[in-house]
Amino acid sequence: PPSSSEYARIYLRKKELVMKSKHYKYWKSVFDLRRCIGCKKMHGQIFLAHSVNIEPPLHNRCRCKIEWLEAKK
């Protein structure tokens, strides 16, 4: 099995490869039977960070959120 230093190296390398975009956000909804049609339609939509026109919650008990888009090198 890899040593703890090997795990640390892998973690740091992975962290280097994934970074958050400063320009884009995306809509994230929960995939289950309680998700409404509106939330389903919005899931995965990408927005410019400064021009997000609509934000969660869309309705009562909405579990959606907008997150920064992650970019891989």
Side-chain angles (χ1 to χ4, degrees), residues 23-50:
H23 304 288
Y24 298 98
K25 291 183 175 184
Y26 75 101
W27 192 284
K28 186 175 181 181
S29 66
V30 177
F31 279 91
D32 64 12
L33 296 174
R34 297 184 330 181
R35 182 173 68 168
C36 74
I37 293 171
C39 294
K40 183 177 181 180
K41 287 180 182 177
M42 292 301 293
H43 181 76
Q45 295 290 320
I46 298 173
F47 305 94
L48 284 170
H50 64 276

